[in-house]
Amino acid sequence: MSYQSLLPLIQKTGSALSPEQFQERINIVFHDFEAQHYDAMHTDMWGSLQEQINLLVDDLLAQKNIESKTLSLLDIGCGTGLSTQILLNSKLGPHISQVTLLDTSPNMLKFAEAKAKTWDKPYKTVNGYLASLTEKFDVIIISSVLHHIPDLETFLKQVDNAMTSGGILIHLQDPNGDAINETEYLSRRNRYEKALEALPKEKKITDFIPKKLLKSIKRLLGRLDYIDLINDQLLAEKTIKRRMTADEIWSVTDIHVETKTDSVNKGISLKFLKNQLQNFELLQMRSYGFFGYLKSDLIESYQVEETQLIAENQTNGRNISCIWMKK
């Protein structure tokens, strides 16, 4: 993604910032406000992440002998600490001796630290960027982060520099750039969307109020959602002069995520990752989200089908997960 693609939105919002500054500031403010709601909003991730991390760790242990019980862990873009907690629940957990939680959002780190206090592991939190760290780590986990990074080439070089020889890299919960335009995946997703449309729907009174009017009513009543609060903060600090829609904010924060109108150059492809991680051995690539949703959000019959596709290690789901070892 080129920062220059942000120029139309920068102009629309009246921002005086450079594209790099604009992306950085919106990303931090967004995640600061999202922190309070993150775990509740993403309950669908809990089961899927545990399943995927367990599978990747099993792939690792089937190929490599992990004897050390003093592995240092770095969680990049740790958010509320959910991914580290899930990794510690896996078979790799007993091998982890210390944890570093890294995030650009101070509020995310507050929630992560609350979890870390329950882990019975030495830990530290770092509010900043990967480039600021000088130590090297034996295990790095990057969960639901790659799609937020504008310059992935530079970022992955920094990941390489932060790893010990023989270090383990796990990343997951990013859109699979090899599948989002693939015929079989699109057909499967469309089949599920039709199944959803066929379900009986319960109408609420708010369904009959135009969305724009409903939002104005909520704001007048003081019922601000976190998108409103993000805009308020950005306006108050003069990052922007005009409010942004939720989709516009997400186009800045989730820059590698496909949309219905834009799937070109979106997602993270395995070919790209292999080109950038040439100092790493790919132990296993996996996929999930074969109907465009995580398993816990699916209709029960489709959950069964999703489970089968994961068991077959099909690779054309919406999400990509991988485990690598540094050579």
Side-chain angles (χ1 to χ4, degrees):
M1 175 261 188
S2 168
Y3 280 108
Q4 300 308 303
S5 66
L6 296 175
L7 289 174
L9 185 56
I10 291 172
Q11 183 177 14
K12 180 180 177 181
T13 58
S15 178
L17 299 182
S18 70
E20 291 82 0
Q21 293 168 329
F22 184 78
Q23 193 279 334
E24 177 184 42
R25 188 60 193 151
I26 289 175
N27 193 55
I28 291 173
V29 172
F30 174 86
H31 285 99
D32 263 350
F33 278 103
E34 191 183 43
Q36 184 174 350
H37 310 279
Y38 189 86
D39 284 355
M41 288 170 57
H42 295 286
T43 54
D44 58 340
M45 286 171 51
W46 298 353
S48 293
L49 290 185
Q50 189 70 69
E51 179 179 35
Q52 289 301 311
I53 286 176
N54 286 347
L55 286 168
L56 293 172
V57 169
D58 286 345
D59 293 330
L60 167 71
L61 298 177
Q63 299 178 54
K64 305 293 180 180
N65 184 18
I66 306 300
E67 296 179 350
S68 173
K69 292 187 181 294
T70 57
L71 299 175
S72 58
L73 169 67
L74 171 64
D75 188 340
I76 301 176
C78 66
T80 64
L82 177 63
S83 299
T84 287
Q85 183 164 303
I86 288 173
L87 182 62
L88 292 176
N89 291 338
S90 77
K91 293 176 184 176
L92 195 61
H95 297 270
I96 303 298
S97 61
Q98 55 184 332
V99 176
T100 299
L101 300 164
L102 174 70
D103 207 287
T104 58
S105 165
N107 284 349
M108 284 288 191
L109 285 172
K110 290 177 184 177
F111 286 91
E113 184 161 20
K115 286 188 179 72
K117 290 176 180 178
T118 70
W119 295 338
D120 195 26
K121 304 272 186 183
Y123 72 91
K124 68 176 180 178
T125 61
V126 180
N127 181 211
Y129 292 90
L130 179 57
S132 67
L133 301 182
T134 56
E135 63 261 58
K136 292 184 181 292
F137 300 88
D138 303 309
V139 183
I140 292 179
I141 187 166
I142 311 171
S143 176
S144 196
V145 169
L146 294 181
H147 62 269
H148 294 302
I149 308 294
D151 185 355
L152 280 171
E153 292 88 347
T154 297
F155 174 76
L156 291 172
K157 287 177 183 175
Q158 294 169 351
V159 170
D160 188 345
N161 291 335
M163 293 217 71
T164 59
S165 178
I168 301 159
L169 170 63
I170 298 171
H171 63 84
L172 67 164
Q173 196 61 23
D174 290 294
N176 181 359
D178 298 315
I180 54 179
N181 289 314
E182 196 258 355
T183 302
E184 186 176 1
Y185 166 70
L186 292 174
S187 174
R188 199 186 295 119
R189 191 186 69 182
N190 289 338
R191 175 160 60 92
Y192 185 69
E193 294 291 345
K194 289 179 180 178
L196 286 179
E197 291 173 3
L199 293 175
K201 296 177 178 59
E202 295 183 6
K203 287 288 186 181
K204 299 175 296 207
I205 191 167
T206 53
D207 293 334
F208 299 95
I209 303 175
K211 289 182 179 180
K212 186 175 291 187
L213 177 58
L214 183 62
K215 196 169 186 66
S216 298
I217 293 171
K218 285 182 177 181
R219 186 173 291 118
L220 287 171
L221 293 175
R223 294 166 58 195
L224 301 178
D225 62 25
Y226 78 105
I227 295 296
D228 294 322
L229 296 172
I230 290 166
N231 272 298
D232 290 345
Q233 173 67 30
L234 293 171
L235 286 164
E237 67 185 34
K238 302 188 186 309
T239 293
I240 59 175
K241 295 180 181 177
R242 288 178 285 280
R243 305 181 81 86
M244 291 188 289
T245 66
D247 285 342
E248 286 172 338
I249 291 174
W250 290 326
S251 75
V252 178
T253 61
D254 293 17
I255 55 179
H256 297 290
V257 175
E258 79 286 1
T259 67
K260 290 182 178 179
T261 57
D262 180 12
S263 60
V264 178
N265 297 321
K266 296 291 185 175
I268 314 294
S269 77
L270 185 60
K271 180 180 178 181
F272 169 81
L273 291 167
K274 286 181 175 179
N275 285 338
Q276 301 303 316
L277 296 171
Q278 294 187 19
N279 292 330
F280 290 76
E281 174 190 0
L282 176 62
L283 301 181
Q284 188 63 270
M285 175 267 185
R286 290 184 174 272
S287 189
Y288 55 109
F290 291 95
F291 299 94
Y293 298 83
L294 296 181
K295 187 192 295 186
S296 62
D297 284 337
L298 295 173
I299 300 168
E300 187 173 351
S301 60
Y302 284 84
Q303 289 185 16
V304 173
E305 196 170 344
E306 172 86 5
T307 298
Q308 182 61 34
L309 291 166
I310 290 173
E312 294 171 357
N313 198 15
Q314 297 292 325
T315 59
N316 62 349
R318 182 192 177 275
N319 295 320
I320 183 173
S321 64
C322 295
I323 187 162
W324 311 71
M325 180 169 279
K326 187 168 180 180
K327 299 173 184 177

